[in-house]
Amino acid sequence: MRSVLGDRKTITILLGPALLLYSAIMLLPVLWSFGLTFFKGSALGGFEFAGFDNFGRLFRDPAVWDALGFTLKYALLVTILQVILGYGLALIYHFMLKRSSVLIRTLVFFPVVLPTVAVSLLYQKLFQSAPTDGLVNELLVNVGLNHVDWLGAGDTAFVVIVIMDVWRSVGFYGVLVFSGLLDIPDEIIESARMDGARGWSLLRGIILPMSLPILFASFIFSINGTIKVFDSVFALTAGGPGTSTQPLTLYMYRTAFQYSDYGYGSTIALLLTIMCLIVTLLIFRASRRDNTV
């Protein structure tokens, strides 16, 4: 085996087809999209070289800043909730339910596999205010509160989007962090308990430090997914009311495919790519600093 893996020709033969396929599917479209940032127009109307005009337009476009603000607010809030609630679920699975957690894990994970459109329709009905109140408004009225037009205002629509996306994804992060907790040796936890560590002291001194690698991985998964949010917002509110819940991905989609401005749409996509890279590098740097302390 060592002789095979040490032969560069063998490595090239084994990895070459996969690298070519990956380049054709992933890297070439990225490079093509980057090239389009210097043009304006569409495939049907033709392209015209625009230089850096798209980048100047990007900084002057108020819709970009509105979409960026929504994206960052959504990504920050949903990421924190996903990871914290997922970590809480993982602790319950591992230390409270233990072997009997299989059924609970399955039930909590079930929303992850549901189609986004189906979940969005469910939440539209739950938070409906017209022509009849949905379940949430019925509960509010029954306890003496006024019904709320949840999807009729930007702030309340944002709340519904956050609740929906956290509900449908927290099961994934619960299982992800649970898999990391399984790697903590039982001997270390038992030794800590023999030394008097219980509850919060055990969590703060032993469990949390040893689960930091999987927490950092969860943050990377979550932040990159939330920055690129598209399908749930598109299915639930379509960016409305108005453009109050329009993320950068939806603005990019509309610019490129509805308004046929591929160059400017590619420029917005480049902004998204840079955001994901910066956030990932910051998380990696933070994890490296933590490991050196």
Side-chain angles (χ1 to χ4, degrees):
M1 179 61 71
R2 291 182 179 178
S3 61
V4 172
L5 296 178
D7 188 353
R8 292 185 178 181
K9 292 183 178 179
T10 304
I11 294 176
T12 303
I13 293 174
L14 292 175
L15 295 182
L19 289 176
L20 288 175
L21 183 62
Y22 177 83
S23 300
I25 295 176
M26 298 295 295
L27 297 182
L28 288 180
V30 171
L31 295 176
W32 182 265
S33 178
F34 177 73
L36 285 176
T37 60
F38 299 100
F39 293 85
K40 59 182 179 180
S42 65
L44 295 178
F47 292 98
E48 179 182 350
F49 183 73
F52 292 96
D53 290 350
N54 286 324
F55 295 94
R57 178 183 172 187
L58 183 73
F59 290 104
R60 296 190 305 268
D61 189 355
V64 167
W65 296 106
D66 291 341
L68 178 62
F70 173 84
T71 301
L72 293 177
K73 180 173 66 172
Y74 168 88
L76 181 63
L77 183 57
V78 173
T79 296
I80 292 174
L81 291 175
Q82 283 177 341
V83 177
I84 291 179
L85 294 178
Y87 191 61
L89 283 174
L91 293 175
I92 293 173
Y93 295 157
H94 188 56
F95 295 104
M96 296 178 63
L97 299 179
K98 298 182 179 180
R99 293 183 179 180
S100 61
S101 69
V102 177
L103 177 60
I104 303 299
R105 273 184 284 150
T106 303
L107 294 175
V108 176
F109 189 84
F110 181 69
V112 178
V113 301
L114 293 177
T116 303
V117 175
V119 175
S120 300
L121 290 175
L122 171 64
Y123 271 76
Q124 284 179 355
K125 294 298 182 182
L126 286 175
F127 289 89
Q128 181 175 281
S129 60
T132 57
D133 285 339
L135 178 61
V136 174
N137 276 329
E138 288 287 349
L139 292 175
L140 292 176
V141 172
N142 288 336
V143 297
L145 300 176
N146 295 327
H147 83 284
V148 178
D149 188 4
W150 292 97
L151 301 178
D155 293 339
T156 51
F158 175 77
V159 172
V160 177
I161 294 172
V162 170
I163 293 174
M164 182 184 75
D165 281 344
V166 171
W167 175 79
R168 64 188 292 262
S169 60
V170 70
F172 169 79
Y173 290 95
V175 172
L176 180 64
V177 179
F178 174 71
S179 66
L181 293 180
L182 292 176
D183 292 334
I184 301 177
D186 293 335
E187 295 80 6
I188 295 178
I189 296 177
E190 291 301 324
S191 299
R193 285 173 173 167
M194 292 178 63
D195 292 336
R198 293 288 188 277
W200 171 246
S201 60
L202 179 64
L203 175 64
R204 183 184 60 183
I206 302 296
I207 299 172
L208 183 58
M210 298 195 71
S211 57
L212 283 180
I214 193 63
L215 285 178
F216 280 119
S218 299
F219 271 110
I220 293 173
F221 271 117
S222 181
I223 197 68
N224 278 287
T226 52
I227 285 178
K228 296 180 291 187
V229 62
F230 174 82
D231 53 351
S232 58
V233 175
F234 186 72
L236 183 63
T237 66
T243 58
S244 57
T245 61
Q246 177 176 256
L248 276 174
T249 49
L250 183 54
Y251 186 46
M252 174 196 68
Y253 166 79
R254 285 173 169 164
T255 301
F257 299 106
Q258 290 186 357
Y259 308 142
S260 297
D261 193 348
Y262 290 177
Y264 190 49
S266 298
T267 308
I268 300 173
L270 179 62
L271 174 62
L272 275 167
T273 303
I274 294 174
M275 287 173 56
C276 291
L277 288 175
I278 291 175
V279 170
T280 302
L281 289 175
L282 289 176
I283 294 176
F284 270 121
R285 187 172 181 178
S287 65
R288 184 178 300 177
R289 185 186 300 115
D290 183 80
N291 290 333
T292 58
V293 173

Short mmCIF file of all heavy atoms in Angstrom, two decimals, residues 11-71:
data_model
loop_
_atom_site.label_atom_id
_atom_site.label_comp_id
_atom_site.label_asym_id
_atom_site.label_seq_id
_atom_site.Cartn_x
_atom_site.Cartn_y
_atom_site.Cartn_z
N ILE A 11 -0.88 8.08 -8.03
CA ILE A 11 -1.74 9.07 -7.40
C ILE A 11 -2.43 9.92 -8.45
O ILE A 11 -3.63 10.22 -8.35
CB ILE A 11 -0.91 9.94 -6.44
CG1 ILE A 11 -0.40 9.10 -5.27
CG2 ILE A 11 -1.75 11.11 -5.92
CD1 ILE A 11 0.50 9.85 -4.33
N THR A 12 -1.68 10.31 -9.49
CA THR A 12 -2.26 11.11 -10.56
C THR A 12 -3.37 10.36 -11.29
O THR A 12 -4.42 10.91 -11.60
CB THR A 12 -1.17 11.54 -11.56
OG1 THR A 12 -0.15 12.25 -10.86
CG2 THR A 12 -1.75 12.41 -12.65
N ILE A 13 -3.13 9.06 -11.55
CA ILE A 13 -4.12 8.25 -12.26
C ILE A 13 -5.39 8.09 -11.41
O ILE A 13 -6.52 8.15 -11.91
CB ILE A 13 -3.52 6.88 -12.63
CG1 ILE A 13 -2.41 7.06 -13.67
CG2 ILE A 13 -4.61 5.95 -13.17
CD1 ILE A 13 -1.67 5.79 -13.98
N LEU A 14 -5.20 7.90 -10.10
CA LEU A 14 -6.35 7.67 -9.22
C LEU A 14 -7.13 8.94 -8.95
O LEU A 14 -8.37 8.92 -8.93
CB LEU A 14 -5.87 7.07 -7.89
CG LEU A 14 -5.29 5.64 -7.95
CD1 LEU A 14 -4.76 5.23 -6.59
CD2 LEU A 14 -6.34 4.65 -8.42
N LEU A 15 -6.42 10.05 -8.76
CA LEU A 15 -7.10 11.30 -8.40
C LEU A 15 -7.43 12.18 -9.59
O LEU A 15 -8.31 13.05 -9.49
CB LEU A 15 -6.23 12.11 -7.42
CG LEU A 15 -5.98 11.48 -6.05
CD1 LEU A 15 -5.14 12.42 -5.19
CD2 LEU A 15 -7.29 11.17 -5.34
N GLY A 16 -6.75 11.97 -10.71
CA GLY A 16 -6.94 12.83 -11.87
C GLY A 16 -8.38 12.93 -12.36
O GLY A 16 -8.91 14.05 -12.50
N PRO A 17 -9.06 11.81 -12.61
CA PRO A 17 -10.45 11.91 -13.09
C PRO A 17 -11.37 12.63 -12.11
O PRO A 17 -12.21 13.44 -12.53
CB PRO A 17 -10.86 10.44 -13.25
CG PRO A 17 -9.58 9.71 -13.45
CD PRO A 17 -8.58 10.43 -12.61
N ALA A 18 -11.21 12.36 -10.80
CA ALA A 18 -12.06 13.03 -9.82
C ALA A 18 -11.78 14.53 -9.78
O ALA A 18 -12.71 15.35 -9.69
CB ALA A 18 -11.82 12.42 -8.43
N LEU A 19 -10.51 14.92 -9.87
CA LEU A 19 -10.17 16.34 -9.86
C LEU A 19 -10.69 17.05 -11.11
O LEU A 19 -11.16 18.19 -11.04
CB LEU A 19 -8.65 16.52 -9.76
CG LEU A 19 -8.03 16.16 -8.39
CD1 LEU A 19 -6.52 16.27 -8.46
CD2 LEU A 19 -8.59 17.07 -7.31
N LEU A 20 -10.60 16.38 -12.25
CA LEU A 20 -11.13 16.97 -13.48
C LEU A 20 -12.64 17.15 -13.40
O LEU A 20 -13.19 18.19 -13.80
CB LEU A 20 -10.76 16.09 -14.68
CG LEU A 20 -9.28 16.10 -15.10
CD1 LEU A 20 -9.05 15.10 -16.21
CD2 LEU A 20 -8.86 17.50 -15.56
N LEU A 21 -13.33 16.14 -12.87
CA LEU A 21 -14.77 16.23 -12.73
C LEU A 21 -15.16 17.34 -11.75
O LEU A 21 -16.09 18.13 -12.00
CB LEU A 21 -15.34 14.89 -12.27
CG LEU A 21 -16.87 14.79 -12.15
CD1 LEU A 21 -17.52 15.01 -13.51
CD2 LEU A 21 -17.28 13.44 -11.58
N TYR A 22 -14.42 17.42 -10.63
CA TYR A 22 -14.70 18.47 -9.65
C TYR A 22 -14.46 19.85 -10.26
O TYR A 22 -15.24 20.78 -10.04
CB TYR A 22 -13.80 18.27 -8.43
CG TYR A 22 -13.95 19.35 -7.38
CD1 TYR A 22 -14.98 19.30 -6.45
CD2 TYR A 22 -13.06 20.42 -7.33
CE1 TYR A 22 -15.13 20.29 -5.50
CE2 TYR A 22 -13.20 21.41 -6.37
CZ TYR A 22 -14.22 21.34 -5.46
OH TYR A 22 -14.36 22.33 -4.52
N SER A 23 -13.37 19.97 -11.02
CA SER A 23 -13.06 21.26 -11.64
C SER A 23 -14.14 21.67 -12.63
O SER A 23 -14.54 22.83 -12.70
CB SER A 23 -11.69 21.20 -12.34
OG SER A 23 -10.67 20.91 -11.42
N ALA A 24 -14.62 20.68 -13.41
CA ALA A 24 -15.64 20.99 -14.42
C ALA A 24 -16.96 21.40 -13.79
O ALA A 24 -17.66 22.28 -14.29
CB ALA A 24 -15.84 19.78 -15.33
N ILE A 25 -17.30 20.76 -12.65
CA ILE A 25 -18.59 21.01 -12.03
C ILE A 25 -18.56 22.21 -11.09
O ILE A 25 -19.51 22.99 -11.03
CB ILE A 25 -19.06 19.75 -11.26
CG1 ILE A 25 -19.32 18.61 -12.25
CG2 ILE A 25 -20.33 20.03 -10.46
CD1 ILE A 25 -19.70 17.31 -11.60
N MET A 26 -17.44 22.40 -10.36
CA MET A 26 -17.39 23.42 -9.32
C MET A 26 -16.54 24.63 -9.69
O MET A 26 -17.00 25.77 -9.61
CB MET A 26 -16.85 22.79 -8.02
CG MET A 26 -17.71 21.68 -7.47
SD MET A 26 -19.35 22.25 -6.92
CE MET A 26 -18.87 23.31 -5.56
N LEU A 27 -15.31 24.39 -10.10
CA LEU A 27 -14.39 25.51 -10.27
C LEU A 27 -14.67 26.32 -11.53
O LEU A 27 -14.61 27.55 -11.50
CB LEU A 27 -12.95 24.98 -10.29
CG LEU A 27 -12.47 24.31 -9.00
CD1 LEU A 27 -11.02 23.89 -9.13
CD2 LEU A 27 -12.64 25.26 -7.81
N LEU A 28 -14.97 25.65 -12.64
CA LEU A 28 -15.22 26.39 -13.88
C LEU A 28 -16.41 27.34 -13.77
O LEU A 28 -16.33 28.49 -14.21
CB LEU A 28 -15.39 25.40 -15.04
CG LEU A 28 -14.12 24.70 -15.52
CD1 LEU A 28 -14.43 23.75 -16.67
CD2 LEU A 28 -13.06 25.72 -15.95
N PRO A 29 -17.54 26.90 -13.20
CA PRO A 29 -18.64 27.87 -13.02
C PRO A 29 -18.27 29.05 -12.14
O PRO A 29 -18.72 30.17 -12.38
CB PRO A 29 -19.75 27.02 -12.38
CG PRO A 29 -19.47 25.63 -12.81
CD PRO A 29 -17.98 25.53 -12.86
N VAL A 30 -17.43 28.81 -11.11
CA VAL A 30 -17.01 29.91 -10.25
C VAL A 30 -16.17 30.91 -11.04
O VAL A 30 -16.37 32.14 -10.95
CB VAL A 30 -16.22 29.36 -9.04
CG1 VAL A 30 -15.58 30.51 -8.26
CG2 VAL A 30 -17.13 28.56 -8.13
N LEU A 31 -15.23 30.40 -11.83
CA LEU A 31 -14.40 31.29 -12.65
C LEU A 31 -15.24 32.00 -13.71
O LEU A 31 -15.01 33.19 -13.99
CB LEU A 31 -13.28 30.47 -13.30
CG LEU A 31 -12.26 29.84 -12.34
CD1 LEU A 31 -11.27 28.97 -13.10
CD2 LEU A 31 -11.52 30.92 -11.56
N TRP A 32 -16.19 31.29 -14.30
CA TRP A 32 -17.07 31.90 -15.29
C TRP A 32 -17.91 33.02 -14.67
O TRP A 32 -18.06 34.09 -15.26
CB TRP A 32 -17.96 30.84 -15.90
CG TRP A 32 -18.89 31.34 -16.97
CD1 TRP A 32 -20.18 31.73 -16.82
CD2 TRP A 32 -18.57 31.53 -18.35
NE1 TRP A 32 -20.70 32.13 -18.02
CE2 TRP A 32 -19.74 32.02 -18.98
CE3 TRP A 32 -17.43 31.31 -19.12
CZ2 TRP A 32 -19.79 32.31 -20.34
CZ3 TRP A 32 -17.48 31.60 -20.47
CH2 TRP A 32 -18.65 32.10 -21.07
N SER A 33 -18.43 32.76 -13.47
CA SER A 33 -19.22 33.78 -12.79
C SER A 33 -18.36 34.99 -12.44
O SER A 33 -18.81 36.14 -12.56
CB SER A 33 -19.83 33.19 -11.50
OG SER A 33 -20.55 34.16 -10.79
N PHE A 34 -17.12 34.75 -12.03
CA PHE A 34 -16.23 35.88 -11.74
C PHE A 34 -15.95 36.70 -12.99
O PHE A 34 -15.92 37.94 -12.94
CB PHE A 34 -14.91 35.36 -11.16
CG PHE A 34 -13.90 36.44 -10.90
CD1 PHE A 34 -14.07 37.32 -9.84
CD2 PHE A 34 -12.79 36.57 -11.71
CE1 PHE A 34 -13.14 38.33 -9.60
CE2 PHE A 34 -11.85 37.58 -11.49
CZ PHE A 34 -12.03 38.45 -10.42
N GLY A 35 -15.79 36.03 -14.12
CA GLY A 35 -15.57 36.76 -15.37
C GLY A 35 -16.77 37.61 -15.76
O GLY A 35 -16.61 38.70 -16.32
N LEU A 36 -17.97 37.14 -15.44
CA LEU A 36 -19.18 37.89 -15.79
C LEU A 36 -19.31 39.18 -14.99
O LEU A 36 -20.07 40.07 -15.40
CB LEU A 36 -20.42 37.02 -15.55
CG LEU A 36 -20.69 35.91 -16.58
CD1 LEU A 36 -21.91 35.09 -16.14
CD2 LEU A 36 -20.92 36.49 -17.96
N THR A 37 -18.60 39.30 -13.88
CA THR A 37 -18.70 40.53 -13.10
C THR A 37 -18.18 41.75 -13.86
O THR A 37 -18.50 42.89 -13.49
CB THR A 37 -17.92 40.40 -11.78
OG1 THR A 37 -16.54 40.13 -12.07
CG2 THR A 37 -18.49 39.27 -10.93
N PHE A 38 -17.41 41.52 -14.91
CA PHE A 38 -16.86 42.63 -15.69
C PHE A 38 -17.70 42.93 -16.93
O PHE A 38 -17.29 43.71 -17.79
CB PHE A 38 -15.42 42.31 -16.12
CG PHE A 38 -14.49 42.11 -14.96
CD1 PHE A 38 -14.15 40.83 -14.55
CD2 PHE A 38 -13.98 43.19 -14.26
CE1 PHE A 38 -13.29 40.63 -13.47
CE2 PHE A 38 -13.13 43.01 -13.18
CZ PHE A 38 -12.78 41.73 -12.79
N PHE A 39 -18.89 42.31 -17.02
CA PHE A 39 -19.76 42.52 -18.17
C PHE A 39 -21.16 42.87 -17.69
O PHE A 39 -21.52 42.67 -16.53
CB PHE A 39 -19.82 41.26 -19.05
CG PHE A 39 -18.53 40.93 -19.72
CD1 PHE A 39 -17.55 40.20 -19.08
CD2 PHE A 39 -18.29 41.37 -21.03
CE1 PHE A 39 -16.35 39.91 -19.70
CE2 PHE A 39 -17.10 41.07 -21.66
CZ PHE A 39 -16.12 40.34 -21.00
N LYS A 40 -21.96 43.38 -18.58
CA LYS A 40 -23.38 43.58 -18.33
C LYS A 40 -24.16 43.04 -19.51
O LYS A 40 -23.65 42.99 -20.64
CB LYS A 40 -23.70 45.06 -18.12
CG LYS A 40 -23.34 45.98 -19.27
CD LYS A 40 -23.68 47.42 -18.92
CE LYS A 40 -23.30 48.38 -20.06
NZ LYS A 40 -23.61 49.79 -19.72
N GLY A 41 -25.41 42.62 -19.25
CA GLY A 41 -26.22 42.04 -20.31
C GLY A 41 -26.62 40.62 -19.95
O GLY A 41 -26.51 40.16 -18.81
N SER A 42 -27.11 39.89 -20.96
CA SER A 42 -27.59 38.53 -20.75
C SER A 42 -27.21 37.68 -21.95
O SER A 42 -26.71 38.18 -22.96
CB SER A 42 -29.11 38.51 -20.56
OG SER A 42 -29.77 38.96 -21.74
N ALA A 43 -27.50 36.38 -21.84
CA ALA A 43 -27.17 35.47 -22.94
C ALA A 43 -28.00 35.76 -24.17
O ALA A 43 -27.54 35.58 -25.30
CB ALA A 43 -27.38 34.02 -22.48
N LEU A 44 -29.24 36.22 -23.99
CA LEU A 44 -30.11 36.51 -25.13
C LEU A 44 -29.82 37.87 -25.74
O LEU A 44 -29.77 38.02 -26.96
CB LEU A 44 -31.58 36.43 -24.70
CG LEU A 44 -32.08 35.06 -24.25
CD1 LEU A 44 -33.53 35.14 -23.81
CD2 LEU A 44 -31.94 34.04 -25.38
N GLY A 45 -29.61 38.87 -24.90
CA GLY A 45 -29.38 40.22 -25.40
C GLY A 45 -27.94 40.52 -25.73
O GLY A 45 -27.64 41.56 -26.31
N GLY A 46 -27.04 39.63 -25.34
CA GLY A 46 -25.64 39.86 -25.56
C GLY A 46 -24.96 40.54 -24.39
O GLY A 46 -25.61 41.18 -23.56
N PHE A 47 -23.63 40.39 -24.33
CA PHE A 47 -22.86 40.96 -23.23
C PHE A 47 -22.02 42.13 -23.74
O PHE A 47 -21.55 42.14 -24.87
CB PHE A 47 -21.94 39.90 -22.62
CG PHE A 47 -22.68 38.81 -21.89
CD1 PHE A 47 -22.94 37.59 -22.51
CD2 PHE A 47 -23.13 38.99 -20.60
CE1 PHE A 47 -23.61 36.58 -21.86
CE2 PHE A 47 -23.81 37.99 -19.93
CZ PHE A 47 -24.05 36.79 -20.56
N GLU A 48 -21.84 43.08 -22.83
CA GLU A 48 -21.04 44.26 -23.14
C GLU A 48 -20.06 44.48 -22.00
O GLU A 48 -20.45 44.45 -20.83
CB GLU A 48 -21.94 45.48 -23.31
CG GLU A 48 -21.19 46.77 -23.61
CD GLU A 48 -22.12 47.96 -23.71
OE1 GLU A 48 -23.36 47.74 -23.74
OE2 GLU A 48 -21.62 49.09 -23.72
N PHE A 49 -18.79 44.70 -22.36
CA PHE A 49 -17.78 44.88 -21.33
C PHE A 49 -18.08 46.14 -20.52
O PHE A 49 -18.32 47.22 -21.06
CB PHE A 49 -16.39 44.99 -21.96
CG PHE A 49 -15.28 45.11 -20.95
CD1 PHE A 49 -14.89 44.02 -20.19
CD2 PHE A 49 -14.64 46.33 -20.75
CE1 PHE A 49 -13.87 44.12 -19.26
CE2 PHE A 49 -13.62 46.44 -19.81
CZ PHE A 49 -13.23 45.33 -19.07
N ALA A 50 -18.08 45.98 -19.18
CA ALA A 50 -18.44 47.09 -18.30
C ALA A 50 -17.33 47.47 -17.34
O ALA A 50 -17.49 48.40 -16.55
CB ALA A 50 -19.69 46.74 -17.49
N GLY A 51 -16.19 46.78 -17.40
CA GLY A 51 -15.10 47.09 -16.50
C GLY A 51 -15.50 46.88 -15.05
O GLY A 51 -16.04 45.84 -14.68
N PHE A 52 -15.26 47.90 -14.24
CA PHE A 52 -15.58 47.81 -12.81
C PHE A 52 -16.90 48.50 -12.48
O PHE A 52 -17.16 48.80 -11.30
CB PHE A 52 -14.44 48.44 -11.99
CG PHE A 52 -13.16 47.65 -12.03
CD1 PHE A 52 -12.16 48.00 -12.94
CD2 PHE A 52 -12.96 46.57 -11.20
CE1 PHE A 52 -10.98 47.28 -12.98
CE2 PHE A 52 -11.78 45.84 -11.25
CZ PHE A 52 -10.78 46.19 -12.14
N ASP A 53 -17.72 48.74 -13.49
CA ASP A 53 -19.00 49.43 -13.25
C ASP A 53 -19.90 48.65 -12.30
O ASP A 53 -20.60 49.25 -11.46
CB ASP A 53 -19.73 49.67 -14.57
CG ASP A 53 -19.03 50.71 -15.44
OD1 ASP A 53 -18.11 51.37 -14.92
OD2 ASP A 53 -19.41 50.85 -16.62
N ASN A 54 -19.91 47.32 -12.42
CA ASN A 54 -20.77 46.52 -11.55
C ASN A 54 -20.36 46.63 -10.08
O ASN A 54 -21.21 46.63 -9.19
CB ASN A 54 -20.74 45.05 -11.98
CG ASN A 54 -21.53 44.81 -13.26
OD1 ASN A 54 -22.56 45.43 -13.48
ND2 ASN A 54 -21.04 43.92 -14.09
N PHE A 55 -19.06 46.76 -9.84
CA PHE A 55 -18.58 46.89 -8.47
C PHE A 55 -18.96 48.26 -7.89
O PHE A 55 -19.34 48.37 -6.72
CB PHE A 55 -17.07 46.68 -8.40
CG PHE A 55 -16.65 45.29 -8.77
CD1 PHE A 55 -16.27 44.98 -10.07
CD2 PHE A 55 -16.64 44.28 -7.82
CE1 PHE A 55 -15.88 43.70 -10.42
CE2 PHE A 55 -16.24 42.99 -8.15
CZ PHE A 55 -15.87 42.70 -9.46
N GLY A 56 -18.85 49.30 -8.72
CA GLY A 56 -19.30 50.61 -8.27
C GLY A 56 -20.79 50.64 -7.99
O GLY A 56 -21.25 51.24 -7.01
N ARG A 57 -21.55 49.99 -8.85
CA ARG A 57 -23.00 49.91 -8.65
C ARG A 57 -23.33 49.15 -7.38
O ARG A 57 -24.29 49.49 -6.67
CB ARG A 57 -23.63 49.24 -9.87
CG ARG A 57 -25.13 49.05 -9.78
CD ARG A 57 -25.63 48.30 -11.00
NE ARG A 57 -27.03 47.93 -10.87
CZ ARG A 57 -27.69 47.16 -11.74
NH1 ARG A 57 -27.05 46.70 -12.82
NH2 ARG A 57 -28.95 46.85 -11.53
N LEU A 58 -22.53 48.13 -7.07
CA LEU A 58 -22.77 47.32 -5.88
C LEU A 58 -22.71 48.18 -4.62
O LEU A 58 -23.56 48.05 -3.72
CB LEU A 58 -21.74 46.19 -5.80
CG LEU A 58 -21.88 45.19 -4.65
CD1 LEU A 58 -23.06 44.27 -4.91
CD2 LEU A 58 -20.60 44.37 -4.50
N PHE A 59 -21.73 49.07 -4.53
CA PHE A 59 -21.58 49.89 -3.33
C PHE A 59 -22.61 51.02 -3.28
O PHE A 59 -22.88 51.55 -2.20
CB PHE A 59 -20.17 50.47 -3.28
CG PHE A 59 -19.11 49.44 -3.00
CD1 PHE A 59 -18.29 48.97 -4.02
CD2 PHE A 59 -18.96 48.92 -1.72
CE1 PHE A 59 -17.31 48.02 -3.76
CE2 PHE A 59 -17.99 47.96 -1.46
CZ PHE A 59 -17.16 47.51 -2.48
N ARG A 60 -23.17 51.40 -4.44
CA ARG A 60 -24.15 52.48 -4.45
C ARG A 60 -25.59 51.99 -4.36
O ARG A 60 -26.50 52.79 -4.17
CB ARG A 60 -23.99 53.31 -5.74
CG ARG A 60 -22.66 54.03 -5.88
CD ARG A 60 -22.71 54.99 -7.05
NE ARG A 60 -23.11 54.33 -8.30
CZ ARG A 60 -22.24 53.81 -9.18
NH1 ARG A 60 -20.94 53.88 -8.93
NH2 ARG A 60 -22.67 53.24 -10.28
N ASP A 61 -25.81 50.69 -4.48
CA ASP A 61 -27.16 50.14 -4.55
C ASP A 61 -27.75 50.00 -3.15
O ASP A 61 -27.27 49.17 -2.36
CB ASP A 61 -27.12 48.79 -5.26
CG ASP A 61 -28.51 48.25 -5.56
OD1 ASP A 61 -29.49 48.88 -5.15
OD2 ASP A 61 -28.60 47.19 -6.22
N PRO A 62 -28.78 50.75 -2.80
CA PRO A 62 -29.37 50.62 -1.45
C PRO A 62 -30.02 49.25 -1.23
O PRO A 62 -30.08 48.78 -0.09
CB PRO A 62 -30.41 51.75 -1.40
CG PRO A 62 -30.71 52.07 -2.83
CD PRO A 62 -29.45 51.81 -3.58
N ALA A 63 -30.51 48.63 -2.32
CA ALA A 63 -31.12 47.30 -2.17
C ALA A 63 -30.10 46.27 -1.71
O ALA A 63 -30.44 45.34 -0.96
CB ALA A 63 -31.76 46.86 -3.49
N VAL A 64 -28.86 46.42 -2.13
CA VAL A 64 -27.80 45.51 -1.69
C VAL A 64 -27.57 45.65 -0.19
O VAL A 64 -27.46 44.65 0.54
CB VAL A 64 -26.49 45.77 -2.47
CG1 VAL A 64 -25.32 45.06 -1.80
CG2 VAL A 64 -26.62 45.31 -3.89
N TRP A 65 -27.52 46.88 0.30
CA TRP A 65 -27.28 47.10 1.72
C TRP A 65 -28.46 46.62 2.57
O TRP A 65 -28.26 46.09 3.68
CB TRP A 65 -26.99 48.57 1.98
CG TRP A 65 -25.72 49.01 1.30
CD1 TRP A 65 -25.61 49.80 0.19
CD2 TRP A 65 -24.39 48.66 1.67
NE1 TRP A 65 -24.30 49.96 -0.16
CE2 TRP A 65 -23.52 49.29 0.75
CE3 TRP A 65 -23.84 47.90 2.70
CZ2 TRP A 65 -22.14 49.16 0.81
CZ3 TRP A 65 -22.46 47.77 2.76
CH2 TRP A 65 -21.63 48.40 1.84
N ASP A 66 -29.67 46.79 2.06
CA ASP A 66 -30.84 46.26 2.78
C ASP A 66 -30.79 44.74 2.84
O ASP A 66 -31.04 44.13 3.90
CB ASP A 66 -32.13 46.73 2.10
CG ASP A 66 -32.37 48.22 2.26
OD1 ASP A 66 -31.77 48.83 3.17
OD2 ASP A 66 -33.14 48.77 1.45
N ALA A 67 -30.49 44.12 1.70
CA ALA A 67 -30.41 42.66 1.65
C ALA A 67 -29.24 42.15 2.50
O ALA A 67 -29.35 41.11 3.16
CB ALA A 67 -30.25 42.18 0.20
N LEU A 68 -28.13 42.89 2.49
CA LEU A 68 -26.98 42.50 3.31
C LEU A 68 -27.33 42.59 4.79
O LEU A 68 -26.96 41.70 5.58
CB LEU A 68 -25.79 43.40 2.98
CG LEU A 68 -24.50 43.15 3.79
CD1 LEU A 68 -23.99 41.74 3.55
CD2 LEU A 68 -23.44 44.18 3.43
N GLY A 69 -28.02 43.65 5.19
CA GLY A 69 -28.43 43.78 6.59
C GLY A 69 -29.33 42.65 7.03
O GLY A 69 -29.15 42.08 8.12
N PHE A 70 -30.30 42.30 6.19
CA PHE A 70 -31.19 41.18 6.52
C PHE A 70 -30.39 39.89 6.61
O PHE A 70 -30.59 39.08 7.53
CB PHE A 70 -32.29 41.03 5.47
CG PHE A 70 -33.13 39.81 5.65
CD1 PHE A 70 -34.20 39.81 6.53
CD2 PHE A 70 -32.84 38.63 4.96
CE1 PHE A 70 -34.97 38.67 6.72
CE2 PHE A 70 -33.61 37.50 5.15
CZ PHE A 70 -34.67 37.52 6.03
N THR A 71 -29.49 39.66 5.65
CA THR A 71 -28.71 38.42 5.62
C THR A 71 -27.86 38.27 6.88
O THR A 71 -27.82 37.20 7.49
CB THR A 71 -27.81 38.39 4.37
OG1 THR A 71 -28.62 38.48 3.20
CG2 THR A 71 -27.01 37.09 4.32
#
